[in-house]
Amino acid sequence: MTTTTTATVTPPEETAPTGPRASWAAVLALAGFEARILLTRLPVLLAFAVYIGWTVWRTRTSYEGFPALQDADRATQTAPLLVGLAVLLSVNQAVLRARRYDTERHFAVLVLPPWRRTVAHLLSLVPAVLLVAVCVGGQFGWEALKPGALGNGSPGELLAGPLSVLLLGALGVLFARLFASAFAAAPLLLVVLLFFSLFTAMFQEGDATRWLMPVVDDYSIRTLPSELLGRPAAWHALYLAGLALSVALAAVLVSGEGAGARPGSGSVSGTGRALRGRFVGNRGVHAGFAGAVALTLLGAVMQTGGVPAETEKARTRYSTAPQELQQCVERDGTTYCAFPEWTSRADDWAEVVDRVNSLAGDAVQDRSLVVRQRVEARYGLTTDAAMDPLTAPNQVSVGTMWGGNRVPEFAVAVAGVLVTGKEAVAGTLCDGRLVTVMWLALAGGSDPMSDLRDIRVDDSTSGSAVVVSQTEPLSMTAAHTELVRELLDRPREEIGAKVTAHWAELTTPEVTTDRTAQLLGLDAPEEADECQE
């Protein structure tokens, strides 16, 4: 009888697969795969195309080439929400893919438990978020490189756009884990976004609860110095980061049984190690979730404290005593006083002042003007309160915005002070002097008729209209408009010689519109002079 001996071969200890290391490698591999799929989804591609196209189209001519960076950083926040919406819907569909195709049960034999697959989907959001960050940086950098750029941007403001995309993407993953049906989740997500929009629209600048929304884009009527904004941008960025992390960890926590478990053998000792690993993993995820919630609450509380008292005091000081904060330089007999962030703008102002002075000729050679920058900041970013005109002789107000119709608007202010001597008097003009003021302001421009249209509230070149101003607006009657149009059609040198020759009479308060027309070689206006009536 032959005896057969069977040998049992035990594999070396070092050849056993390392579960956790292999699992995290698989997580990263799955995250890379899902990230590529996410970036090539049609909604995401369309959203990025619209976002980038709109950004390029807008930034070419934004701020008339003279951006204040404390406004430009906020302008980067709203458009990324479109990308966030597309990412939210696409990642939601990606998480539910296995349920749609009934392949969820096959994942049970793979190395990745549900919670690790959730982590992979969350990591797949990173490339989209980074791409949005690149777009935000490109938009802001473009503004900063424009020759007329000034001011200071805020990193916290620039982070709002990318963090909003991260938050919306994490919400997409969370809702996919909470609701098994895509048809149930997608409408709910849209309702959430609609709620965000309506909730944001309900609140104004003074409402602290508006900072609970992803983006708080205060539309600034007037640009304020960066230290007067009073926006808790850094705390809001912390709030968004904490909220996104909280939502992401909540998605991991609700991903089902096996969260935190390490794959092991079927032995008792392996099961024990798995249970211990599961406990440690759960404890780590719960601790991380608690820390993220704490960060969210910290940011939420700190950002809703309102405008700091120091900022309120600074706003009042800038508004009522600007001369105490300004730096002054002299150009050709005219003094230009600007806030520290605007000192480089003096050359642009000087170009307009010199142009208006040259049209007045010798009559104003002995006139020394002071151009003083002013801002009304006491009522915050979103108000459009007019400033009181200066009462001191030969002083002209200039605002914090430049380019476009701000240039002829400033020219009108300069001409008004040259003709009347005081800004407070220029704002009350309703006689023949207004014709001289408007010609001095507009005749030196490259397109006087377009400038006339730009500085009138109704964008017209006929009839009566209100002329926009940093202080008191002027009122042009139909007779004034008729004469100004005729003067702008005549040769500049011809009218300039007559203005210089008759300067004394053209600038007297008693001069009528008809007399102004006679002195400048024009027929009396066909329209009745409402001021004389």
Side-chain angles (χ1 to χ4, degrees), residues 391-440:
T391 57
N394 300 323
Q395 291 201 14
V396 185
S397 296
V398 63
T400 53
M401 303 177 71
W402 193 249
N405 61 357
R406 301 296 181 181
V407 177
E409 176 185 315
F410 175 60
V412 171
V414 174
V417 173
L418 289 178
V419 169
T420 65
K422 292 184 179 181
E423 192 172 73
V425 176
T428 64
L429 286 182
C430 193
D431 49 49
R433 290 177 293 175
L434 186 55
V435 175
T436 304
V437 168
M438 298 305 297
W439 182 84
L440 288 174

Side-chain angles (χ1 to χ4, degrees), residues 143-163:
E143 298 285 13
L145 291 175
K146 290 180 179 179
L150 47 72
N152 298 283
S154 167
E157 301 284 10
L158 296 175
L159 286 172
L163 288 176

Side-chain angles (χ1 to χ4, degrees), residues 87-349:
V87 168
L88 180 150
L89 295 176
S90 297
V91 76
N92 181 267
Q93 294 294 308
V95 177
L96 294 174
R97 187 190 303 120
R99 291 184 181 274
R100 290 200 310 275
Y101 295 113
D102 194 25
T103 58
E104 184 70 27
R105 62 183 182 274
H106 298 299
F107 285 103
V109 300
L110 298 181
V111 71
L112 293 181
W115 76 275
R116 288 186 187 267
R117 299 204 306 272
T118 300
V119 172
H121 283 292
L122 291 169
L123 291 176
S124 72
L125 301 172
V126 174
V129 174
L130 291 178
L131 184 55
V132 170
V134 170
C135 293
V136 167
Q139 179 182 354
F140 182 76
W142 189 351
E143 298 285 13
L145 291 175
K146 290 180 179 179
L150 47 72
N152 298 283
S154 167
E157 301 284 10
L158 296 175
L159 286 172
L163 288 176
S164 297
V165 175
L166 179 61
L167 172 61
L168 292 175
L171 279 173
V173 176
L174 175 61
F175 278 106
R177 289 308 187 193
L178 291 175
F179 302 96
S181 171
F183 296 100
L188 180 59
L189 298 174
L190 294 177
V191 169
V192 170
L193 292 178
L194 180 61
F195 169 75
F196 277 177
S197 301
L198 295 178
F199 190 82
T200 303
M202 291 171 57
F203 296 98
Q204 302 300 322
E205 183 180 0
D207 297 308
T209 52
R210 68 199 180 112
W211 286 99
L212 299 178
M213 297 296 100
V215 170
V216 182
D217 183 18
D218 288 322
Y219 177 72
S220 180
I221 304 297
R222 298 181 186 271
T223 296
L224 299 186
S226 55
E227 65 178 288
L228 305 186
L229 297 183
R231 287 173 55 89
W235 289 115
H236 187 62
L238 177 64
Y239 162 75
L240 286 179
L243 185 58
L245 184 58
S246 299
V247 173
L249 291 176
V252 174
L253 288 174
V254 300
S255 292
E257 188 175 348
R262 299 182 181 184
S265 64
S267 64
V268 175
S269 60
T271 303
R273 286 196 301 268
L275 291 174
R276 289 196 302 272
R278 180 181 303 171
F279 175 75
V280 173
N282 275 335
R283 185 171 60 185
V285 175
H286 279 89
F289 179 74
V293 171
L295 285 179
T296 305
L297 293 176
L298 175 63
V301 171
M302 297 302 296
Q303 72 181 354
T304 54
V307 179
E310 296 79 7
T311 302
E312 294 282 12
K313 292 179 180 178
R315 286 180 174 182
T316 301
R317 190 180 179 195
Y318 269 81
S319 302
T320 58
Q323 66 278 3
E324 298 177 1
L325 305 161
Q326 293 176 338
Q327 302 174 13
C328 299
V329 295
E330 186 175 340
R331 301 275 193 279
D332 297 327
T334 300
T335 302
Y336 300 89
C337 298
F339 297 121
E341 291 175 307
W342 276 267
T343 53
S344 61
R345 193 58 50 81
D347 292 337
D348 298 313
W349 299 335

